[in-house]
Amino acid sequence: MVELKVNGKIYNVDIPTDTPLLWVIREELNLKGTKFGCGKGLCGACTFHINGSPSRSCITPVAAVVGQEITTFDHYAGLPEHPVISAWNEENVPQCGYCQSGQIMSAIGLLESNKNPSDEEIVQYMSGNICRCGTYNRIKKAIAKAAKSEQQS
């Protein structure tokens, strides 16, 4: 039995510790906001936060996160007033929407580490998240808007 703290709740799961966290989040905990994309940590669809830092759940074994604070998109999905979620909606970022949870988790991670990123810093930081619809300009605009919003509050 493995104890995991996910979105502020303690879960006990009976799973091999080499299981990728993505499958525990989706299949065992039934938190569907974290998506499966490439399975190799390259596309960013499975981004989650471990102790506040973005990481890829498809390549993170459960053993690596025991005793850590795990935050998934499902936590933020319930916070429509969060500056990033609000800016995402205002800028009409999603098209198909598949990558959006990972994009948002990376954007939140960026703004937690850099309160006022330049356009170049946004592009560089977000380069690990792939959007097959190509909404990169809207993503950049939403992150800049969220940064300004956070600075005003």
Side-chain angles (χ1 to χ4, degrees), residues 83 111 114-117 142-152:
L111 295 179
N114 182 349
K115 301 292 184 204
N116 190 23
I143 293 170
K145 181 180 249 181
K148 286 180 183 138
S149 173
E150 286 185 338
Q151 290 168 7
Q152 293 173 356

Side-chain angles (χ1 to χ4, degrees), residues 66-123:
V66 172
Q68 309 295 316
E69 181 71 35
I70 300 164
T71 308
T72 71
F73 175 75
D74 302 276
H75 169 75
Y76 293 103
L79 304 172
E81 299 304 316
H82 187 282
V84 173
I85 303 289
S86 181
W88 228 254
N89 291 328
E90 290 169 17
E91 295 302 323
N92 295 311
V93 174
Q95 282 190 8
C96 81
Y98 197 82
C99 72
Q100 297 309 298
S101 59
Q103 297 276 2
I104 288 169
M105 293 302 287
S106 289
I108 290 169
L110 167 60
L111 295 179
E112 287 177 357
S113 66
N114 182 349
K115 301 292 184 204
N116 190 23
S118 67
D119 283 351
E120 295 78 24
E121 289 170 322
I122 293 170
V123 169

